[in-house]
Amino acid sequence: MRDIPLLRPPGQADLLQVLWCPFEHEPDYKPPTALFWRSSAEVTDIRAAPSGPSAVEYDGYVPKPCVLAPEQITEYPNHLQLSKELQQQLEDWSRWQAAGSGIDSAYAPHPESFCRSELSVAPGWKVGGWPQWGFTDPVARFCTACGAGMDPLLTIASSEWDRRSHGWVPYEDQGLAALDDAAASNPPGVEVSRSNRLQLYACPESPDHPHTDLIQ
């Protein structure tokens, strides 16, 4: 947990290994995943380079080596997870104007989209945080073993930021974002289910309980 100290590992584990099949499986056409909690002290036979799969459905399911630079951020729920009262406030353009937010007038017809793209849920790969919704309305995920509400564990994204809106671009990458280069916004080159996100959820009661996933 050296890189992500807020992640809650079970027992003496300090390493989470995430494996997936580089093929989309029915019925949801997404790559199945497997999670393994391990102790880094017990990993003694380390390969100089990981072995690649013998076959893949899409090249985007084989991550390219890149540098991991995690940072802790503050984000907020998707507007669909807010109360009806708050949703109505976000949809009221006059409130944004009265607040002197200075947002682009292009958001006037749908000001809630400014909150969604610039202020609420961070895009990109992340551990924990709030889930992004798009294909479906917010739906709770429950553990099939104990019935507990499941927590977002990991989001595997097809891009680190929205190339149309640079609000979530890290300061050190502002120059790259200005180039409007698809490779710059997706260093590992992963493309999940036609440029979407694969969200993994874990049971808070036991790491031995099966996890679940969702494409959004």
Side-chain angles (χ1 to χ4, degrees):
M1 299 300 103
R2 176 189 59 195
D3 297 316
I4 310 172
L6 294 181
L7 193 60
R8 297 172 296 177
Q12 299 301 312
D14 60 358
L15 176 67
L16 175 60
Q17 187 175 28
V18 181
L19 303 179
W20 69 2
C21 173
F23 286 81
E24 295 180 355
H25 289 223
E26 296 181 353
D28 298 320
Y29 295 97
K30 58 189 175 185
T33 54
L35 306 181
F36 299 93
W37 287 100
R38 309 176 68 180
S39 169
S40 58
E42 298 175 356
V43 181
T44 57
D45 186 13
I46 302 176
R47 296 183 177 183
S51 59
S54 58
V56 299
E57 184 172 6
Y58 303 109
D59 291 340
Y61 284 137
V62 182
K64 301 174 183 177
C66 61
V67 177
L68 179 67
E71 57 182 321
Q72 186 175 347
I73 62 170
T74 299
E75 61 174 7
Y76 300 95
N78 185 287
H79 79 287
L80 294 175
Q81 290 186 264
L82 302 176
S83 67
K84 289 297 182 182
E85 180 182 0
L86 286 177
Q87 289 185 39
Q88 292 173 355
Q89 292 178 15
L90 290 175
E91 295 167 1
D92 185 349
W93 177 242
S94 64
R95 285 181 173 270
W96 292 96
Q97 291 179 304
S101 56
I103 67 175
D104 194 314
S105 60
Y107 286 107
H110 301 284
E112 73 280 1
S113 62
F114 172 76
C115 180
R116 182 176 63 249
S117 62
E118 301 282 357
L119 302 177
S120 59
V121 183
W125 292 59
K126 63 182 178 182
V127 171
W130 292 96
Q132 185 68 270
W133 300 101
F135 287 163
T136 69
D137 287 341
V139 55
R141 315 295 288 177
F142 296 99
C143 177
T144 57
C146 68
M150 304 185 81
D151 296 332
L153 174 66
L154 175 67
T155 298
I156 300 172
S158 299
S159 178
E160 283 299 295
W161 60 77
D162 185 345
R163 293 168 59 193
R164 297 168 299 178
S165 172
H166 295 169
W168 287 100
V169 178
Y171 286 117
E172 63 271 21
D173 291 331
Q174 292 287 337
L176 291 174
L179 299 176
D180 195 27
D181 183 356
S185 63
N186 187 11
V190 167
E191 185 174 348
V192 180
S193 186
R194 299 163 184 80
S195 300
N196 293 302
R197 293 168 292 268
L198 178 64
Q199 301 170 351
L200 305 186
Y201 293 78
C203 177
E205 300 299 327
S206 173
D208 296 324
H209 291 177
H211 73 286
T212 190
D213 53 31
L214 182 67
I215 289 286
Q216 286 290 326

